[in-house]
Amino acid sequence: MRRTARPLTGTALAVAAAVLAAAPAYGAPAGDLEVSPPSVLPGGQVTVHTAACGDGGTATGDASAVGAGSLSLAPGPHEQDATGRFKVPPSAQPGTYEITATCTGSGRRITGDLVVTLTTDSRQVHPRGSVKTGVGGALGPDPVQTAAGVAALAVAAAGGTWLLHRRARGDGI
């Protein structure tokens, strides 16, 4: 009985730990701060809205992480949403910034992410060409440099082999 109790106890503890670790993810309340557009250029206009403050609720927003300061969220066209706007400063650096809002009545704090980019293209850009590291590469753009590197390695290998043979024969070195 003891032999099966230990593995079962370990398994039960592992399952309990996994459930407790996942609980905050599933227990997170819906209705976080929605940022539109989610990605913006410096100098662009951003709208934030939330339904987390209840019907007719207002909130105070904080966009100081991106350098825009504070903003007010007031009931929008839909009474259950609080909406506000701010302008991203032209000096904003690329990155992901957390925008927060605190509901006036309940004091509930909600967050959303804003991504500042330097390109309007939403597609991912892939690099082209070889990397200029100064070392060269086997498939680099210059075959002369590649041949010179191979020749240097061959000379070093031949010299090392010659020295090892000479040492093994006892000729000096």
Side-chain angles (χ1 to χ4, degrees):
M1 171 122 164
R2 277 198 162 172
R3 290 181 190 215
T4 58
R6 282 188 182 173
L8 289 178
T9 303
T11 304
L13 287 174
V15 168
V19 168
L20 288 175
Y26 290 112
D32 284 342
L33 192 66
E34 295 180 29
V35 180
S36 178
S39 179
V40 67
L41 293 170
Q45 190 78 15
V46 178
T47 302
V48 293
H49 69 276
T50 183
C53 295
D55 287 342
T58 61
T60 302
D62 182 16
S64 60
V66 73
S70 63
L71 64 136
S72 296
L73 281 78
H78 305 289
E79 285 297 317
Q80 69 271 15
D81 290 346
T83 304
R85 300 183 115 193
F86 67 92
K87 182 178 178 182
V88 176
S91 61
Q93 296 296 313
T96 302
Y97 297 93
E98 182 179 67
I99 310 301
T100 63
T102 305
C103 296
T104 305
S106 66
R108 180 177 177 192
R109 184 175 181 266
I110 50 178
T111 62
D113 287 336
L114 171 68
V115 178
V116 176
T117 64
L118 294 179
T119 140
T120 58
D121 194 3
S122 62
R123 294 177 292 137
Q124 188 173 7
V125 178
H126 298 284
R128 283 178 283 218
S130 61
V131 179
K132 306 290 187 212
T133 60
V135 178
L139 299 175
D142 190 4
V144 174
Q145 289 180 351
T146 303
V150 170
L153 286 174
V155 167
T161 303
W162 177 72
L163 285 173
L164 286 175
H165 280 286
R166 190 170 170 189
R167 185 174 182 189
R169 285 187 290 162
D171 289 344
I173 298 183

